[in-house]
Amino acid sequence: QDHRADSAQWPAQKTVQPRNDWTAGIHRRASRRSADTQTGGFCVETGEQVLELFYNTINPIEFGKLLCEVGTSYNTAFLVVESNNHGAAVIPYLKENYPRHAIYKRKFATKAGPAIYGWNNSRDAKHALVGLMQEDLGQVIIYGTQTGKELKAFEEDTEGKMEGKEDNLVIATGLAMLGLKKFEHLRQEYNKPKIAVVKPKVNYMT
């Protein structure tokens, strides 16, 4: 069964401000039946969750189309997509149909090679993502019922792994929060004071 959040439950969804920025995290994991797909999104300016979207019967191309529609409706939201598992099939579609500057890159293009898109879900990367969430969770407002439920059940197991019985939206939320970090960095760069270059006065008498 497919599920979408009821917009009536989402105060932040009612007023998409033209000048606001938005970020969304996309996690897609294979199961025995199909590929479970989750998306969480936040407003950069207010920290409010504006999107909780989860499907378990949608193929990568259709999901890519949906992400393009949702991202465009949120002022070309910055999308942080998981690159491994079934997420690897979504990224090529986004690269061809969504502005590339609005897709997360874990490695930028250089003379040695092209850009690498998407977040790689490894054990180390997941621990780092969980650490980011623990550090910044107090700075965001969670409205999603399912997101809150999964966050409460997310914990460290006996082997030291961070997971829950259902944690797909947790990862999607973490990826969206990774997108928030990008905008924080850009704001800091924008607000840095410019270094004044003092040129020595020319002595025309010599």
Side-chain angles (χ1 to χ4, degrees):
Q1 184 180 359
D2 294 352
H3 302 274
R4 292 193 65 175
D6 181 1
S7 60
Q9 300 176 1
W10 299 77
Q13 277 190 322
K14 295 180 181 179
T15 55
V16 179
Q17 300 298 328
R19 295 183 181 180
N20 280 7
D21 296 304
W22 313 85
T23 177
I26 297 94
H27 174 60
R28 187 172 170 84
R29 184 172 69 179
S31 66
R32 292 181 179 179
R33 296 173 301 168
S34 56
D36 293 328
T37 302
Q38 291 76 23
T39 303
F42 291 92
C43 173
V44 173
E45 284 73 17
T46 66
E48 291 179 278
Q49 186 185 19
V50 295
L51 184 65
E52 178 189 81
L53 183 68
F54 48 103
Y55 284 87
N56 58 18
T57 56
I58 188 169
N59 65 59
I61 301 303
E62 290 301 317
F63 186 54
K65 292 179 181 178
L66 178 62
L67 287 177
C68 289
E69 293 176 7
V70 172
T72 301
S73 68
Y74 282 96
N75 302 339
T76 313
F78 183 68
L79 305 182
V80 184
V81 188
E82 181 184 357
S83 63
N84 43 345
N85 297 321
H86 281 52
V90 177
I91 290 176
Y93 183 88
L94 292 177
K95 287 170 62 178
E96 295 300 321
N97 296 278
Y98 196 74
R100 293 193 178 190
H101 72 270
I103 307 173
Y104 172 81
K105 306 175 188 68
R106 68 176 182 272
K107 184 178 180 181
F108 288 96
T110 63
K111 291 182 179 180
I116 300 178
Y117 290 79
W119 178 78
N120 185 39
N121 185 5
S122 65
R123 180 173 180 176
D124 291 341
K126 187 174 181 179
H127 272 287
L129 188 69
V130 171
L132 181 149
M133 293 179 66
Q134 290 175 330
E135 180 182 347
D136 293 347
L137 199 57
Q139 300 178 31
V140 298
I141 303 170
I142 302 293
Y143 291 118
T145 303
Q146 184 64 22
T147 303
K149 178 182 176 181
E150 291 187 15
L151 281 169
K152 290 178 181 178
F154 194 73
E155 58 187 4
E156 186 174 352
D157 66 12
T158 55
E159 298 180 357
K161 296 181 180 179
M162 298 297 297
E163 59 185 4
K165 185 177 180 180
E166 295 180 357
D167 61 4
N168 293 330
L169 273 171
V170 173
I171 302 303
T173 299
L175 295 180
M177 293 176 69
L178 182 62
L180 292 177
K181 279 290 187 184
K182 170 189 182 296
F183 281 92
E184 180 181 330
H185 171 74
L186 290 178
R187 278 196 296 269
Q188 290 175 352
E189 290 294 317
Y190 180 79
N191 292 326
K192 281 184 178 179
K194 294 182 179 180
I195 300 175
V197 178
V198 180
K199 295 182 179 180
K201 292 183 179 180
V202 179
N203 187 349
Y204 294 99
M205 300 302 292
T206 58

